[in-house]
Amino acid sequence: MNQKSTTQVPVPAHDFGVLLSPTARGARLARLLAVEWLRSRELPYDVEEAAEQIVAELAANAATHGRVSGRNFRLALRISPKVLRIEVTDTRGERLPRAQPASPEGDSGRGLLLVEALADRWGVEPGPVPRKTVWAEMALPHP
């Protein structure tokens, strides 16, 4: 009998990453996958809820404003003892996001204001060309 031995490389328990299509469906999947990963980390409910909203906003922005046909966006979640970091990378590095007041009549423009309200810190890292990464960090409560 011919037996095959497989070696599985464990994924670091504190990191999650996935490539998704820059579509509304991809943005929704980013949120759903993030929720499942966050729940498996047994974080406090308020942290999970805020992180879910941040992922939803950043993924929607990547699918809307960072969309380039044929190029995916990347969602990454990293957790350390003190911080949860959410990163969304797209391939429209020339379009750097910035929070700006939304018009009361407008249907959009509030996403980064929401991220700013929910995260302890957020920002944008340009590059490498043609990419940019929008990130948000949330402090985690001490056990």
Side-chain angles (χ1 to χ4, degrees):
M1 181 185 303
N2 188 3
Q3 293 182 337
K4 289 186 178 181
S5 162
T6 60
T7 304
Q8 292 185 358
V9 178
V11 176
H14 301 298
D15 290 350
F16 171 81
V18 64
L19 289 173
L20 299 157
S21 65
T23 62
R25 179 176 280 173
R28 182 173 182 270
L29 185 55
R31 183 182 61 78
L32 293 172
L33 292 170
V35 166
E36 286 304 311
W37 187 83
L38 291 165
R39 284 187 183 148
S40 72
R41 299 298 167 282
E42 299 180 2
L43 298 172
Y45 178 75
D46 60 330
V47 172
E48 283 182 23
E49 189 174 36
E52 176 184 358
Q53 193 64 47
I54 291 169
V55 168
E57 293 300 335
L58 295 183
N61 283 352
T64 305
H65 306 293
R67 180 184 180 128
V68 174
S69 182
R71 295 184 183 169
N72 294 330
F73 73 90
R74 181 176 187 357
L75 167 66
L77 303 172
R78 293 186 172 90
I79 194 166
S80 71
K82 296 181 180 181
V83 174
L84 168 64
R85 183 175 172 101
I86 300 163
E87 298 178 349
V88 174
T89 303
D90 65 46
T91 54
R92 292 296 296 260
E94 76 281 2
R95 285 190 170 179
L96 299 180
R98 53 192 164 89
Q100 48 191 328
S103 81
E105 300 83 31
D107 291 338
S108 63
R110 294 173 184 83
L112 288 177
L113 294 174
L114 186 59
V115 170
E116 193 170 80
L118 294 172
D120 293 307
R121 293 169 295 288
W122 78 275
V124 181
E125 294 175 359
V129 173
R131 296 184 276 287
K132 72 171 175 299
T133 298
V134 183
W135 58 268
E137 293 181 341
M138 300 173 60
L140 297 176
H142 300 291

